[in-house]
Amino acid sequence: MDGTVLVADDDRTIRTVLTQALTRAGCKVHATSSLMTLMRWVEEGKGDLVISDVIMPDGNGLEALPRISKLRPGLPVIVISAQNTIMTAIQAAEAEAYDYLPKPFDLPDLMKRSARALDLKRRAPVKAAAPREAGDDLPLVGRTQAMQALYRLVARVMNTDLPVLVTGESGTGKSLIARAIHDFSDRRTLPFVVAQAADLQWVEGPASLLARAKGGSLVFDEVADYDEETQARIVRMLDMMGDNAPRIMSTSQVDLASRLEQGSFRQDLFYRLGGVTLHVPSLRERVDDIPLLADHFLARGERDLGATRRLSNEARDLVRAYSWPGNVRQLENTLRRLMVTSAEADITRAEVEAVLGNQPAMEPLKGGGEGEKLSSSVARHLRRYFDLHGGALPPPGVYQRILREVEAPLIEIALDATAGNQAKCADLLGINRNTLRKKITDLDIRVTRRRKLM
């Protein structure tokens, strides 16, 4: 690599790591913890690439992007952020960042992206829209690979005219994804209309929907439930759309491809709706996001209800281990109930058990159907991870990322099963106790006094 890189991050360790890595790669580096200093360097004409955090002591890196673009058209900016929400990815795309990476980032991956940015002469940029505030009502929070891949896809498709099919289990947030695509697209000021099967069961229904959604977004909710006649009306409606046609999106809990094979879903409609498929993972597929979501909902509850509550370590372990068949919606409702019923500021494990005891699926996490082999379950999740990238390859380093995703929960579950006894845990795993300790440190596994999962 050749060029000067401006690094802005309030974390000294990150500045040091990036400075050393970029210098070894042949770059000159200017590093700072101040957004003001970064902007001064940009104004002075320094730098061929900017790598910037979002939350800085003296400002917001995303909000500075339009000014950087105006001062230095064509200067690529790579945004790195621990604010791992869909809004961060979308705001970065709206502000025309060259790239966006969530923290913790993969250093080799960041270096490759930096090399491409330095080599690439960007086209003259279009004036960037100022980033908008993320809505607090969108619990699209997650730092797992599955969610970050989903955020990237949303950011890429939000301003296209391709139809979007959003799939996922009940309660995962499919409707929120559709709403986010609309709210952060060029159609944001136009109507957003959600259609139910009942809206299409009368002859004038399709024309009425098109009139209401004119130029905006039209979402067919749970389209797999529509009967054959309703499906036929949608096909005819889509074929007759003219000027100011709405952007078409649809949601489904059910795999439409399987319904197609069964003959209960029209082939012509299937291909009209499936321009881009976005799969929203269940909580079972992103266990590491559960504590993050729990904190998000508790913070929201504090604002809405005026009560301060937090999960005890034992309660947090149980929340993370629960199967959550109702996904994010069930998690949110459970925590709101606990905020009202909990006697103390610290929500206990017993209080969580009392609430979850009245709900279905009080059982360990399951990856698939009854009798499914572990290898088949792993293969299914890996295939879904690759599919989330929309035909493109995942970022380099898949092998190590997947190993880390598997290794960390394996060790945590083994620690739970052995009540935190590291000697027993090491024996159970078949590894040396010193190796176990090193992995606990490297994987940042929180070691507390544990109880066996029931």
Side-chain angles (χ1 to χ4, degrees):
M1 284 193 289
D2 183 27
T4 300
V5 182
L6 309 180
V7 175
D9 198 297
D10 61 347
D11 189 320
R12 178 180 296 177
T13 301
I14 290 178
R15 294 199 305 273
T16 301
V17 168
L18 290 180
T19 298
Q20 292 175 349
L22 290 164
T23 301
R24 284 197 300 268
C27 296
K28 295 180 181 178
V29 181
H30 298 289
T32 180
S33 62
S34 167
L35 189 61
M36 185 179 298
T37 300
L38 172 65
M39 295 307 300
R40 177 168 55 81
W41 287 342
V42 171
E43 290 177 6
E44 292 172 354
K46 294 179 180 177
D48 303 298
L49 167 66
V50 174
I51 300 176
S52 177
D53 192 8
V54 174
I55 305 301
M56 303 281 283
D58 56 348
N60 184 297
L62 283 176
E63 294 174 357
L65 283 175
R67 186 180 171 199
I68 292 175
S69 180
K70 183 177 181 180
L71 290 169
R72 300 275 302 281
L75 177 64
V77 180
I78 296 177
V79 174
I80 55 176
S81 174
Q83 307 297 310
N84 301 319
T85 71
I86 189 172
M87 298 309 173
T88 309
I90 290 176
Q91 288 171 355
E94 279 195 328
E96 296 191 340
Y98 172 79
D99 214 335
Y100 161 75
L101 280 174
K103 292 180 179 178
F105 54 81
D106 180 67
L107 183 58
D109 183 29
L110 176 57
M111 294 297 290
K112 289 179 181 178
R113 293 169 189 255
S114 299
R116 287 197 295 268
L118 288 169
D119 291 339
L120 180 66
K121 291 183 178 180
R122 299 181 67 196
R123 298 177 182 178
V126 179
K127 184 177 180 181
R132 296 180 294 130
E133 291 298 319
D136 289 337
D137 59 333
L138 294 176
L140 298 171
V141 176
R143 60 169 59 100
T144 55
Q145 290 290 336
M147 289 303 290
Q148 290 299 320
L150 175 61
Y151 297 163
R152 289 178 185 280
L153 262 179
V154 169
R156 287 204 298 267
V157 306
M158 65 182 180
N159 282 322
T160 70
D161 292 326
L162 288 170
V164 173
L165 172 63
V166 187
T167 65
E169 296 179 7
S170 175
T172 52
K174 298 185 297 296
S175 60
L176 295 179
I177 290 290
R179 183 82 215 197
I181 291 173
H182 174 82
D183 286 350
F184 285 83
S185 73
D186 295 336
R187 301 174 187 258
R188 62 179 68 112
T189 60
L190 299 171
F192 178 83
V193 177
V194 178
Q196 311 289 338
D199 297 320
L200 293 151
Q201 288 177 353
W202 52 294
V203 176
E204 299 300 324
S208 174
L209 285 174
L210 286 178
R212 288 166 52 199
K214 187 175 183 180
S217 297
L218 176 59
V219 182
F220 297 113
D221 188 44
E222 295 302 335
V223 70
D225 295 336
Y226 294 6
D227 60 30
E228 186 175 349
E229 184 179 351
T230 303
Q231 293 177 35
R233 283 182 177 154
I234 295 176
V235 170
R236 291 192 293 270
M237 180 188 76
L238 296 179
D239 287 343
M240 73 179 197
M241 291 195 306
D243 295 338
N244 292 322
R247 203 258 180 86
I248 300 299
M249 293 186 277
S250 51
T251 68
S252 177
Q253 294 181 39
V254 180
D255 180 11
L256 290 186
S258 65
R259 288 290 177 90
L260 183 64
E261 292 176 359
Q262 296 166 8
S264 60
F265 201 82
R266 292 176 61 110
Q267 186 178 51
D268 49 2
L269 180 57
F270 177 80
Y271 290 115
R272 281 169 171 81
L273 297 180
V276 177
T277 299
L278 304 179
H279 177 74
V280 187
S282 67
L283 284 185
R284 296 186 304 281
E285 297 171 271
R286 53 182 187 118
V287 175
D288 289 342
D289 285 334
I290 294 176
L292 192 69
L293 281 162
D295 291 340
H296 174 85
F297 291 132
L298 290 173
R300 181 194 293 178
E302 183 175 349
R303 295 194 300 271
D304 295 346
L305 305 175
T308 301
R309 295 289 186 271
R310 56 184 175 269
L311 292 170
S312 67
N313 290 337
E314 294 79 9
R316 185 175 293 270
D317 288 342
L318 179 58
V319 166
R320 190 180 186 279
Y322 184 65
S323 58
W324 298 112
N327 291 293
V328 178
R329 186 184 298 120
Q330 183 189 10
L331 174 63
E332 179 180 16
N333 290 339
T334 297
L335 289 170
R336 288 184 69 86
R337 178 175 172 182
L338 285 166
M339 290 199 71
V340 173
T341 60
S342 178
E344 304 292 339
D346 281 352
I347 299 171
T348 67
R349 180 186 177 101
E351 288 172 323
V352 176
E353 288 176 337
V355 171
L356 295 181
N358 296 323
Q359 301 188 37
M362 184 62 177
E363 56 190 30
L365 296 175
K366 291 185 178 180
E370 290 296 328
E372 182 179 24
K373 292 182 178 180
L374 178 59
S375 60
S376 299
S377 176
V378 171
R380 178 165 51 84
H381 290 298
L382 289 177
R383 173 55 56 192
R384 184 168 289 167
Y385 170 67
F386 274 75
D387 290 344
L388 281 171
H389 290 80
L393 290 175
V398 170
Y399 184 77
Q400 290 300 327
R401 276 202 306 278
I402 295 300
L403 283 185
R404 184 182 180 91
E405 289 279 346
V406 173
E407 195 172 31
L410 173 61
I411 292 174
E412 289 183 343
I413 292 170
L415 283 168
D416 281 327
T418 56
N421 187 312
Q422 293 187 24
K424 288 184 179 180
C425 182
D427 184 60
L428 175 65
L429 294 170
I431 60 177
N432 184 277
R433 187 175 180 181
N434 290 332
T435 301
L436 174 63
R437 287 174 175 169
K438 185 176 186 303
K439 288 184 178 294
I440 288 173
T441 300
D442 293 344
L443 297 171
D444 194 25
I445 295 173
R446 181 169 53 88
V447 179
T448 60
R449 184 179 179 183
R450 297 168 181 264
R451 293 164 55 180
K452 289 185 179 181
L453 295 176
M454 301 302 291

